[in-house]
Amino acid sequence: MPETGPTAVLPGRPLTVGELLDSAVLLLRGHATALLPLAAALAVGEQLLLLPLRTAVGVSPPLWWVPDLGGLAPFWFLLGVGAATEAMIIMLLGNPATRAAGNALLGHRATARHLLRPTGARWGATALLCPLVGTAMLLAALLGPAWFVGFALLGAVTPALVLDRVGPLRAVARSATLALRVDGRGAALRVLGYLVWWIIRVGLGWGLFTGLSTLGLITAGWAVAVAVLVWAGVNAVAYAALACLDAVVHLETRIRTEGLDIHLSRAPAGVPQAALLAVRG
C-alpha cells in the first residue's frame, strides 16, 4: 500500500470531500502527459462537431450557450447534444484515468505508454458503452433536471469496466449502485465536481476570449476559430479532471463500502493488479 502522506493520490482510506477533489487534481497532474493530449484531441473534435449546430441555432462566441429566445427548441437540442458529447469524452478519458488511479492505490507509477496501450485496457467495452451513455445523457438533458440524475449515476461505468472487470451491462448497474451508496455520496460528488469545473471553464474561457478581444489580438473572421481553440483547451483540462474524479470516487467508495483497503492489505504478494481490484463474485 502507498504511504499515507499528504502527497499520496489515494492513501487507501476513506477520504473527505476536499481530499477527494485534491486526489483527482493530483492524479491528473501526475499523468498529464497521457491524459491531456487525449483530452485535447477529443475536445477539439467535440467543438468541430458542435460548430455546425451552433451556427444553425444562431449562437456566437464567446458565450455559445446564450440562446435567441425565438429559437429555444433548437437551442435546447444543442445543449442536449453537448451534454452527450461531454459524457462520452469523460467516459473515454476514464479508461486511462481509472488505470492510473488503480496503480496509485497500489503504490505503483504507471507511464503514459502503459496507460494508453490497448492490452488489458478494455477499450473495446468502453467504446461499446459510449453511445449508450451518450444517448442516455442526451435524453436526460432534453428532459431538463433529469440531466443531474443521469450524470450523477453514470460516473462509475468506466471504472467498473476497467478495474472491477465486470461486463458492460453490469457496469452500468454497478455505477448506479455505487453512486447511491452512503446516501448518494458518490452521485453528489460527481455533480459537485462538474459544477466546480463548469464555473472554472466559464471563467477561463470567457476571460481568455474577452482578454484577447480587448487587446485586439482577434482579427475579423477569426473569432470562431479562436473560440473553438479556447474552449477546447479549457474543456480538455476539465474533462480530464472529471475523469480522474470519477476514478478516485469509485475507488474511495469501494474502500468505504466494500472494504477494498482491507482486501488489499491481506492479499498475498505477486497478485496481478487486475485480480487485486476485480470484484469478487
Side-chain angles (χ1 to χ4, degrees), residues 66-116:
V66 178
D68 176 2
L69 295 180
L72 190 57
F75 175 75
W76 197 260
F77 179 74
L78 172 62
L79 288 182
V81 174
T85 56
E86 283 184 343
M88 290 190 290
I89 290 174
I90 294 170
M91 182 175 175
L92 290 173
L93 292 172
N95 190 296
T98 296
R99 285 183 286 129
N103 277 281
L105 179 62
L106 298 177
H108 304 156
R109 170 71 181 180
T111 64
R113 178 177 297 181
H114 171 76
L115 294 180
L116 296 176

